[in-house]
C-alpha cells in the first residue's frame, strides 16, 4: 500500500468533503489528516511533515505554491449580555470603547479607532489561546475578533458572535512545496477545485504565475501582411471524395 498522503488543516477549516471524495476515488491511497496550528503551518510544509496544507493567510510563500480558496467573514465575540450582541452586525468604530483581548496587531482596524490606544492606556493582554481568550470574553472583560469559522469552533452558551464591518476578511488557501513532485498533489488539487473523476482535463496544480508563458506566434506565422490574421484555406469540396 502507498505511503499516506499527509494533508494538514488549520482550525476552522472543514475539509471533510474533500477527504471523503479522495477516499472514494483513491481507496488504495490512504489519507493522513492533521490539525495544524496557524503558527506552525509554514514550518510543517517546509520541513516536509505534511504534503499539503489548508492554510490561513498571511503566509510567507517563499518556496511554496498557494491556491486561494475562499474568504472568511470577521466577527466580534463578546459576552452574551454585551450591548453589541443586540445587533445583527456592527462596525469596527462601534468597538472603539472596548478592550481587545488580543495583541492589537491582530486587528489593526480596531487599533486605529480604539480609545485605549489613542489615550495611551492600552495594556496588552497576556498571551492566550483562542479558547482562553473566548473564555475571558465570556466574563465581560473584553472582546475578541476572529474569523467566523474559528468563532464557531469555540462557540459557547455564554458568548455571542456578531459580524463586524470595517475589518479585513481573512483568506484560506491550499499550499504545498514547490519541489513536491508527488502526482497525488495534482489529484488533490483537482478534487478541491471540483473536477470530476472522469474529467478529461489534465490538472495543472501550479498557480497561474508559476506556469510557463504561452508561446506567441513568430513573424509570419498565422498572420498575413500587415499583421492581419490569415483566414483558413478553402473548405472541403462538395461531393463524394475520390478513392
Amino acid at each position: 500500500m502507498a505511503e499516506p498522503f499527509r494533508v494538514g488543516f488549520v482550525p476552522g477549516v472543514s475539509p471533510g468533503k474533500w477527504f471523503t471524495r479522495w477516499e472514494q476515488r483513491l481507496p488504495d491511497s490512504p489519507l493522513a489528516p492533521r490539525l495544524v496550528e496557524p503558527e506552525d503551518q509554514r514550518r510543517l510544509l517546509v520541513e516536509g511533515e505534511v504534503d499539503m496544507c489548508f492554510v490561513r493567510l498571511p503566509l510567507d510563500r517563499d518556496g511554496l505554491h498557494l491556491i486561494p480558496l475562499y474568504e472568511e467573514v470577521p466577527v466580534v465575540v463578546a459576552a452574551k449580555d454585551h450591548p453589541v450582541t443586540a445587533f445583527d452586525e456592527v462596525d469596527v468604530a462601534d468597538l472603539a470603547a472596548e478592550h481587545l483581548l488580543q495583541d492589537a496587531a491582530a486587528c489593526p482596524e480596531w487599533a486605529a479607532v480604539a480609545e485605549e490606544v489613542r489615550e495611551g492606556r492600552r495594556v496588552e493582554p497576556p498571551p492566550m489561546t483562542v479558547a482562553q481568550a473566548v473564555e475571558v470574553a465570556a466574563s465581560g472583560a473584553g472582546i475578541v475578533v476572529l474569523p467566523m469559522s474559528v468563532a464557531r469552533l469555540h462557540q459557547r452558551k455564554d458568548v455571542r458572535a456578531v459580524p463586524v464591518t470595517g475589518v479585513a476578511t481573512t483568506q484560506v488557501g491550499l499550499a504545498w512545496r514547490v519541489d513536491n513532485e508527488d502526482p497525488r498533489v495534482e489529484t488533490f488539487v483537482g478534487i478541491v477545485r471540483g473536477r470530476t473523476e472522469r474529467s478529461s482535463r489534465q490538472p495543472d496544480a501550479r498557480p497561474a504565475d508559476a506556469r510557463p508563458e504561452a508561446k506567441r506566434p513568430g513573424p509570419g506565422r498565422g498572420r498575413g501582411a500587415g499583421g492581419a490574421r490569415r483566414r483558413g484555406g478553402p473548405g472541403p469540396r462538395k461531393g463524394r471524395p475520390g478513392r
Side-chain angles (χ1 to χ4, degrees), residues 11-12 37-38 56-57 71-78 90 92 95 100-103 106-110 128-138 142-156 159-165 167-172:
E37 293 301 324
R56 181 169 287 112
L57 277 59
E71 293 184 340
E72 301 173 299
V73 174
V75 298
V76 55
V77 178
V90 296
V92 67
L95 307 176
L100 186 70
L101 297 167
Q102 299 156 279
D103 188 327
C107 188
E109 298 89 350
W110 172 85
M128 292 183 281
T129 64
V130 174
Q132 291 170 335
V134 171
E135 183 176 2
V136 176
I143 60 170
V144 184
V145 177
L146 299 169
M148 182 178 286
S149 63
V150 177
R152 286 175 176 169
L153 186 65
H154 295 279
Q155 187 173 356
R156 298 166 48 115
V159 298
R160 297 288 184 272
V162 180
V164 55
T165 60
V167 174
T169 58
T170 51
Q171 193 170 46
V172 169

Side-chain angles (χ1 to χ4, degrees), residues 41-197:
Q41 57 187 9
R42 174 175 168 79
R43 178 183 63 81
L44 294 178
L45 280 166
V46 171
E47 294 180 0
E49 294 192 34
V50 293
D51 297 300
M52 305 187 79
C53 189
F54 290 95
V55 298
R56 181 169 287 112
L57 277 59
L59 174 72
D60 180 0
R61 305 187 188 188
D62 185 34
L64 300 176
H65 284 319
L66 175 72
I67 297 176
L69 296 177
Y70 59 88
E71 293 184 340
E72 301 173 299
V73 174
V75 298
V76 55
V77 178
K80 66 177 183 179
D81 56 353
H82 191 286
V84 301
T85 63
F87 300 92
D88 295 329
E89 183 180 86
V90 296
D91 187 80
V92 67
D94 299 325
L95 307 176
E98 305 298 332
H99 174 60
L100 186 70
L101 297 167
Q102 299 156 279
D103 188 327
C107 188
E109 298 89 350
W110 172 85
V113 300
E115 294 177 3
E116 62 181 40
V117 173
R118 184 175 66 251
E119 296 170 3
R121 52 184 176 83
R122 164 79 175 170
V123 177
E124 291 293 339
M128 292 183 281
T129 64
V130 174
Q132 291 170 335
V134 171
E135 183 176 2
V136 176
S139 71
I143 60 170
V144 184
V145 177
L146 299 169
M148 182 178 286
S149 63
V150 177
R152 286 175 176 169
L153 186 65
H154 295 279
Q155 187 173 356
R156 298 166 48 115
K157 293 181 179 180
D158 49 4
V159 298
R160 297 288 184 272
V162 180
V164 55
T165 60
V167 174
T169 58
T170 51
Q171 193 170 46
V172 169
L174 180 61
W176 67 97
R177 279 174 34 171
V178 169
D179 60 356
N180 188 342
E181 298 181 352
D182 189 327
R184 294 177 295 181
V185 168
E186 291 192 2
T187 301
F188 193 78
V189 169
I191 288 174
V192 172
R193 284 182 161 173
R195 296 181 192 139
T196 64
E197 186 176 6

Side-chain angles (χ1 to χ4, degrees), residues 3-11 13-23 29-37 44 49-54 174 184 188:
E3 289 293 323
F5 190 62
R6 303 159 302 170
V7 180
F9 59 98
V10 293
V13 175
S14 301
K17 62 180 180 180
W18 297 310
F19 291 167
T20 298
R21 290 172 189 167
W22 174 278
E23 293 169 354
S29 182
L31 199 65
R34 177 174 178 176
L35 182 63
V36 172
E37 293 301 324
L44 294 178
E49 294 192 34
V50 293
D51 297 300
M52 305 187 79
C53 189
F54 290 95
L174 180 61
R184 294 177 295 181
F188 193 78

